[in-house]
Amino acid sequence: MQSSIRLYEFFLNKTERTQSMDIPTRQRWLGVLANSEAAALQTLLSPHLPPPEHVEWLRQPQTGLVMVEGRTGGAGARFNLGEVAVTRASCRWQDLTGHGWVRGTDPAHAALIAQADALLQAPDRHPALMAAVIEPLADALRARRELASRQAAASKVEFFTMVRGE
Amino acid sequence: MMLHTGFKHPVDDAQRNFRALLEALSRPLQPRALPTLPPALPGLAAGTVALLYTLADQDVAVWLPDLPADTLATLRFHTGMTLAASPLAADFIVIPTGRALPALDALPAGEAEYPDRAATLIIETGAFHQCDVEASGPGIAAPLRFGAQGLPKDFWRQWQVNHARYPLGVDALLVADGVIAGLPRSVSVKEG
Amino acid sequence: MYVAVKGGETAIARSWDLLAARRRGDEAVPELSLAQIRQQLRLAVHRVMQEGSLYDEELAALALKQAAGDAMEAVFLLRAFRTTLPRLATSLPLDTSAMRVARRVSGTFKDVPGGQILGPTADYTQRLLDFSLAEPAATPRCELAEAPLPECLPSVLDLLAAEGLMEADLPPPDDPAPADLTREPLLFPADRPARLQNLARGDEGWLLGLAYSTQRGYAENHPFAGEIRMGEISVMLLPDELGFEIDIGAIVVTECQMINQFAGGPHAPPQFTRGYGLVFGESERKAMSMALVDRSLRAQELGESTGSPAQQAEFALCHSDSVEASGFVQHLKLPHYVDFQAELSLIRTLRAEHDRQQDAPHD
């Protein structure tokens, strides 16, 4: 009981911490960063990165496993489908903490996401970074997904009925 | 809330400490320094934090007394450990300096089929000395004298009761800042 | 008596060299890159990820290269590698209704909402060897539809469920965390989540054979392919340090919802029941086999007869893992010199006894 109260306090603290930038906005940029190509992120983010000595690594990039769950019948009981390789990193820059989690085994990708996450929380850096990094990556991601979806849609079956006799 | 840094080299540092820990448990009550210490956390000694970073992961339930939120968040951040709701549900039970020690005979002591399912205590003490007990058992060539400042008065009497349950019983790690002494359940002590 | 024998180190080192040389083959032929394996042997990569139970295209491609294309050996390599990695977290359950589908077909309804989307399938090829592939060729251009597919395609089974003709499949109270076979051994009776985890990482050939047996009469399944869909799903996590859900990247999965007739029983009216298959990557054959075997393993729960191999969980699940199976079969190659000497001496004694009896004069 005591410990569940403590966990609750954790959450309160977390909520306070992220109020500086609202959660959906931060969720969006973290999702865009994790779905971007590491090389594209590197190119766009490089000019904005702080000097390495200004970044403190709370957690160096680390590769591990995340167990992916499914549900029986799609919506029933949870079951373990299998694991994905995931790399994560966390850093602090000027009192702002950035976290990067990304599927795959690329430590550089996780480190870039963590730094971008910290920088994006700074009100004075936020608008420029959104325009220069997040929006271009989001556009590329949207275009990639739309292309795949339109290719799939092109293979949709159009049934027609043959009328015989009269 | 503020997260603190952990080991500088998480894998290497944990492995070095794990080696020291193995030796501490195979040569009970013969103190040795932990090779690498992370920054201490509010409410916990650096040695205790080092042991938790070395031993805990997301499959491990740790019981901790009330500690600052930063400390709990940092421990969970670096290890993924779950916080046990009570010492009875814990794999590791942490007793920082000055905190009350639960009665040893009430803690998980394992089962006949699975003696390994016992709790391990991590107890912070003052300096180690040689005044309290004469200890013997596996890993102790000749009976040796041991003591630690700050242990409750009846600790060694309780320990002897714990030892009598062997192969069941709790194990303990005594932490005097950066120095540890292993106290597995196999150790028998004589007071005085 | 056991006699320790040493030796063979040099021979082993030589065999490693031979293995490496055979893997590489003729150096006049360019070496395969991991990107080539990922791109051009993607279904082999998917199978290795699926049975290795570790989704990572790069690692699976490396395993395939190292194993010179031996899928089971590659699965073994991937399983061994995963033991070196820490478990960092558990995802939120995948939401397959939010899949960005690349393919979606139903064998039960022609006009499913959203339509039948064929995607990249070999189903309509004539299985004629295409000799033009022997030479490099330009990639064909894919047609694009005017508009993308809807974000969310409803599940075909929801149509039947809305009519009350399909059994419900809802989370049990409190939505408990499932058993994890990577942590705890499989125990019997195994619940459905444990069975599905076993099947999801099981050998495709084994599952296909079991599934086929149910169709040939070794179970009463009467299956229909209600819906098969394949596409990308985002993996969502709730990291403790953030306190909110994040998308960490997408994976490709194939899902199969099998519909089976059910005559009704003491606790349920006549209705359709479900068999479920969900696997990493693109593999309809595996997802369909999994769904058929899932359904046949529900025989006891549904009060059906349980006499067929595919209805017996202990038989179906204990032999599904190619790493375990190949390990036990192949261990016979290891020295059994002493065991065999004992057998040899026993047979010699029995034979001598036998021969003596044959030779003895009959009275």
Side-chain angles (χ1 to χ4, degrees):
Chain A
M1 185 50 99
Q2 197 182 1
S3 127
S4 60
I5 292 169
R6 246 183 276 141
L7 277 175
Y8 177 65
E9 285 167 356
F10 265 24
F11 273 88
L12 282 183
N13 276 320
K14 268 176 215 143
T15 323
E16 278 164 20
R17 190 162 52 97
T18 48
Q19 264 167 5
S20 56
M21 206 57 77
D22 69 295
I23 290 174
T25 309
R26 195 167 170 205
Q27 276 173 316
R28 173 167 176 264
W29 79 56
L30 285 171
V32 168
L33 291 165
N35 282 280
S36 64
E37 299 291 332
L41 174 57
Q42 169 79 50
T43 309
L44 294 175
L45 189 62
S46 285
H48 305 274
L49 286 176
E53 63 274 18
H54 291 187
V55 178
E56 180 187 23
W57 289 97
L58 293 170
R59 203 156 55 191
Q60 295 283 347
Q62 172 194 26
T63 297
L65 304 168
V66 167
M67 177 54 92
V68 177
E69 291 189 355
R71 285 187 180 281
T72 62
R78 292 154 61 189
F79 73 94
N80 290 309
L81 175 63
E83 290 162 316
V84 287
V86 168
T87 305
R88 67 180 183 185
S90 297
C91 68
R92 186 155 46 217
W93 167 78
Q94 296 189 352
D95 283 351
L96 294 167
T97 306
H99 300 289
W101 285 78
V102 62
R103 192 174 82 64
T105 58
D106 181 1
H109 198 175
L112 286 170
I113 296 175
Q115 293 176 86
D117 183 43
L119 294 167
L120 278 155
Q121 291 173 67
D124 57 327
R125 307 286 291 274
H126 179 82
L129 279 167
M130 285 302 284
V133 180
I134 300 300
E135 296 310 341
L137 291 174
D139 289 345
L141 178 64
R142 198 178 310 116
R144 202 165 72 218
R145 287 184 177 164
E146 190 186 305
L147 180 75
S149 185
R150 286 175 61 196
Q151 285 180 347
S155 71
K156 187 164 140 180
V157 180
E158 300 298 341
F159 287 106
F160 52 90
T161 315
M162 310 283 272
V163 181
R164 282 195 286 181
E166 185 64 34
Chain B
M1 188 180 56
M2 156 108 171
L3 292 171
H4 298 257
T5 51
F7 281 136
K8 212 172 211 86
H9 307 286
V11 175
D12 295 348
D13 294 352
Q15 285 180 349
R16 265 194 286 275
N17 283 332
F18 191 74
R19 181 74 236 172
L21 193 64
L22 282 180
E23 284 168 10
L25 285 167
S26 40
R27 301 267 174 260
L29 297 184
Q30 293 155 66
R32 67 201 64 231
L34 286 168
T36 338
L37 292 177
L41 296 173
L44 290 179
T48 306
V49 178
L51 289 178
L52 289 172
Y53 289 167
T54 301
L55 293 170
D57 63 22
Q58 73 150 23
D59 292 333
V60 169
V62 179
W63 184 84
L64 293 152
D66 273 329
L67 288 170
D70 285 4
T71 298
L72 297 178
T74 300
L75 287 173
R76 279 181 54 76
F77 176 72
H78 289 298
T79 67
M81 63 164 72
T82 53
L83 295 173
S86 96
L88 297 180
D91 301 307
F92 290 95
I93 297 166
V94 179
I95 311 296
T97 305
R99 302 297 185 118
L101 186 73
L104 296 189
D105 60 3
L107 300 175
E111 305 147 36
E113 296 87 345
Y114 300 99
D116 54 306
R117 292 183 184 169
T120 300
L121 287 148
I122 297 175
I123 306 170
E124 291 184 0
T125 69
F128 298 144
H129 53 74
Q130 300 179 332
C131 303
D132 292 345
V133 290
E134 188 180 86
S136 58
I140 304 177
L144 63 77
R145 297 204 53 80
F146 184 83
Q149 287 174 4
L151 284 174
K153 270 200 171 54
D154 65 342
F155 177 80
W156 295 110
R157 189 187 53 74
Q158 285 196 56
W159 186 263
Q160 203 44 30
V161 175
N162 179 61
H163 168 69
R165 290 189 292 178
Y166 191 87
L168 306 188
V170 298
D171 305 302
L173 296 162
L174 307 178
V175 184
D177 214 9
V179 179
I180 59 167
L183 182 55
R185 66 192 87 168
S186 56
V187 173
S188 172
V189 294
K190 227 169 26 204
E191 283 185 86
Chain C
M1 183 179 66
Y2 262 113
V3 182
V5 180
K6 268 181 73 71
E9 291 92 335
T10 313
I12 289 171
R14 299 280 184 277
S15 85
W16 289 342
D17 295 342
L18 283 170
L19 182 69
R22 280 297 188 92
R23 175 189 304 128
R24 177 61 185 88
D26 184 352
E27 282 185 19
V29 176
E31 187 170 344
L32 269 177
S33 72
L34 296 191
Q36 286 173 324
I37 297 173
R38 282 181 60 168
Q39 293 288 320
Q40 297 171 42
L41 295 175
R42 93 183 178 287
L43 299 180
V45 169
H46 287 183
R47 178 163 183 187
V48 170
M49 296 195 303
Q50 190 186 94
E51 293 174 26
S53 201
L54 174 59
Y55 196 110
D56 192 275
E57 300 95 327
E58 193 77 5
L59 295 174
L62 178 60
L64 269 170
K65 180 173 178 178
Q66 186 178 334
D70 178 342
M72 270 193 209
E73 182 70 15
V75 166
F76 194 167
L77 292 170
L78 208 54
R79 290 270 188 97
F81 181 72
R82 79 159 276 289
T83 64
T84 67
L85 297 176
R87 172 76 67 79
L88 301 179
T90 301
S91 82
L92 301 178
L94 292 181
D95 179 5
T96 53
S97 73
M99 184 188 290
R100 292 180 285 277
V101 300
R103 168 166 166 80
R104 189 282 201 117
V105 292
S106 167
T108 50
F109 294 102
K110 178 165 67 74
D111 296 311
V112 286
Q116 309 258 5
I117 297 138
L118 300 186
T121 178
D123 286 355
Y124 306 98
T125 60
Q126 290 171 305
R127 266 72 183 222
L128 300 175
L129 264 184
D130 181 354
F131 288 95
S132 73
L133 288 176
E135 298 297 327
T139 318
R141 215 178 55 80
C142 294
E143 286 298 323
L144 294 182
E146 284 293 308
L149 294 167
E151 296 256 311
C152 215
L153 288 177
S155 161
V156 170
L157 272 65
D158 290 349
L159 301 173
L160 290 167
E163 255 193 276
L165 297 177
M166 170 57 66
E167 65 167 345
D169 194 349
L170 298 168
D174 302 329
D175 204 9
D180 184 354
L181 303 182
T182 68
R183 292 287 197 270
E184 299 287 335
L186 185 62
L187 297 175
F188 295 97
D191 64 9
R192 195 166 171 218
R195 298 198 303 253
L196 286 173
Q197 184 182 9
N198 175 287
L199 297 176
R201 54 197 258 138
D203 179 68
E204 182 177 317
W206 172 257
L207 290 189
L208 180 66
L210 278 179
Y212 184 39
S213 77
T214 69
Q215 292 180 287
R216 290 193 64 256
Y218 288 94
E220 303 149 51
N221 259 6
H222 308 292
F224 293 91
E227 179 174 351
I228 294 158
R229 56 170 71 189
M230 181 276 286
E232 258 189 21
I233 304 189
S234 298
V235 178
M236 304 294 295
L237 272 195
L238 203 164
D240 203 58
E241 66 271 13
L242 285 169
F244 53 82
E245 297 167 17
I246 53 166
D247 172 351
I248 59 164
I251 59 173
V252 172
V253 298
T254 306
E255 182 188 49
C256 172
Q257 301 263 13
M258 217 43 106
I259 299 177
N260 299 75
Q261 189 196 89
F262 176 58
H267 307 296
Q271 61 181 335
F272 291 111
T273 54
R274 299 162 186 262
Y276 188 67
L278 182 66
V279 297
F280 281 157
E282 260 176 78
S283 182
E284 245 158 63
R285 193 165 46 223
K286 167 81 180 271
M288 294 176 77
S289 302
M290 178 175 170
L292 288 172
V293 177
D294 171 45
R295 176 60 182 82
S296 66
L297 290 176
R298 296 181 60 204
Q300 193 165 17
E301 166 204 344
L302 295 168
E304 298 167 338
S305 69
T306 55
S308 299
Q311 292 169 325
Q312 291 168 7
E314 206 164 332
F315 181 75
L317 302 179
C318 287
H319 304 121
S320 67
D321 194 280
S322 69
V323 177
E324 283 175 18
S326 110
F328 203 54
V329 167
Q330 294 206 67
H331 100 282
L332 294 174
K333 289 183 286 194
L334 294 173
H336 286 69
Y337 306 142
V338 177
D339 285 12
F340 188 70
Q341 283 304 315
E343 291 279 316
L344 192 59
S345 123
L346 176 67
I347 289 290
R348 281 191 172 129
T349 311
L350 291 172
R351 172 56 78 87
E353 182 68 21
H354 173 86
D355 291 350
R356 214 172 13 254
Q357 281 175 6
Q358 294 282 310
D359 293 346
H362 297 281
D363 292 319

